[in-house]
Structures are given as C-alpha cells and as structure tokens.
Amino acid sequence: MINPNTRKINIPQELYNIGVVTDDNAEKVNIRIPRYFDGCDLSARKCTISYNNALKERGVYTVTEIEIDEDSLLLNWYVSKFVTKKAGKIYFVVEFKKDIDERGMSYSWSTLPAELNVMAGLDDDITINENDLSLYRSLLLQIQATDRRVADLMQQVHNINQSSVNLDLLNSQIGDLQSSVKSIQESAVYIESGQTATEEVM
C-alpha cells in the first residue's frame, strides 16, 4: 500500500522476500494507491517503477497492467530476472509522470524508496558460459606452467654458489616469470569484474 501523503510504501513482512535469485516474471507484486492525489487523477499518468538491484544496477519497469477502481489503482509489477540477478536487498520507487497534463504543465510524482529482498539460490555467484570456460582453461594452463618455472628457478637459486649457474640467464628467466605473473593477475581481474549486459540497465 502507498500512502500518498507520507510517500511511503508499506510492505507487509510476509511479502518482504519477493523471490529467489534468477526468478523471471514468476512473482507479481501488487501495489495499491489512491487514485486521486491533490486533485490529480493518477490513472491518467504514466506509471513506472525505478529500482536498484542487489548489484546496484538501475532498472525501470513500465507498469502496463493497472486495475482502476473508483477510488484506487492496483499496480501489477512482474519481477524480472534483472531484478533478481543477485541475492540481497533491492530498492525501488513508484513514479507517475506526464509530459503535459490537463493544466498544460509537466507532472512528476514519486514515492520514497522502499526495500525488498531477493533470497539466495544454488550457486548464486557462479555463471559460466563457453567463453568463460575457455578463458579459465587458458589461465589454468598459464598457472601450471608458471608453477613449473618457479620450481626450476628455485632449484637454480639453491645452486647459486656453484660456478655452473649462469646469472644472466637466471635474471632473464626471473624477468620472464614476472611478466607471466602480471599477465595471470590481469586475466584474473578481468574474470572477476566481468558483467553481463542487459537491455534494462540505464
């Protein structure tokens, strides 16, 4: 329920959890609001729901299903997989807008932010596609090869007092090893920070 005077959205505790991560249009949130506010008929305005998902990505849902009664509106919000992309808290506001209203002026009205929760599912953080697998395999091979080179260099350092050790060659190998480690670090950072594009991102 929306109280238009306080701008607060009152959410019953039993409705606080709106679904499980990756749910897609499986839950419909019903929001009721008085039809009239300060003489304006909200049914004659465009209604949208702006939200931040648990990844703090912004999205906007245009409400297309509105049940109009004599004194109130019932808004139907289908919760998409973009909302449930990550388990955790989401924040949203309900907005009514019109470019030019009956007074010849632009109109914009919004609630205060409200909070809902997306519950964790199985392996919430694991999303791997074929490109990811190829990159992981390549990175694993680099790590294994670097590990063997480290072991070889450690053996050479252990024998450093022997006249047979070529210090110039050892320094060159250490430089190559440092470059390999830097490449692995950059690849790991790329994998960790990768995000999937979505049409709903603003």
Side-chain angles (χ1 to χ4, degrees), residues 143-188:
I143 293 172
Q144 291 171 339
T146 301
D147 186 56
R148 289 191 293 269
R149 293 173 64 186
V150 169
D152 182 59
L153 286 175
M154 290 300 295
Q155 183 62 39
Q156 293 187 52
V157 170
H158 179 71
N159 300 327
I160 201 166
N161 291 327
Q162 299 182 12
S163 58
S164 60
V165 175
N166 186 328
L167 292 180
D168 289 337
L169 177 60
L170 184 60
N171 285 331
S172 176
Q173 290 175 329
I174 291 174
D176 290 342
L177 182 60
Q178 289 173 332
S179 296
S180 295
V181 171
K182 182 178 179 181
S183 175
I184 291 172
Q185 289 174 330
E186 291 173 349
S187 297

Side-chain angles (χ1 to χ4, degrees), residues 11-21 23 26-30 77 79 83-84 86-90 92 115-120:
I11 302 173
Q13 187 60 39
E14 62 270 20
L15 301 179
Y16 176 66
N17 294 315
I18 60 165
V20 176
V21 67
D23 278 0
E27 292 285 347
K28 180 175 69 172
V29 177
N30 298 316
W77 174 22
V79 180
V83 179
T84 63
K86 174 75 174 177
K89 295 179 181 178
I90 68 165
F92 71 98
E115 176 187 308
L116 290 170
N117 183 63
V118 175
M119 296 178 288

Side-chain angles (χ1 to χ4, degrees), residues 65-96:
E65 291 187 7
I66 301 178
E67 299 177 25
I68 304 174
D69 294 331
E70 185 176 345
D71 298 318
S72 68
L73 306 177
L74 184 64
L75 317 174
N76 296 323
W77 174 22
Y78 291 91
V79 180
S80 73
K81 61 184 177 182
F82 185 71
V83 179
T84 63
K85 190 174 179 180
K86 174 75 174 177
K89 295 179 181 178
I90 68 165
Y91 298 91
F92 71 98
V93 297
V94 177
E95 301 170 305
F96 289 88

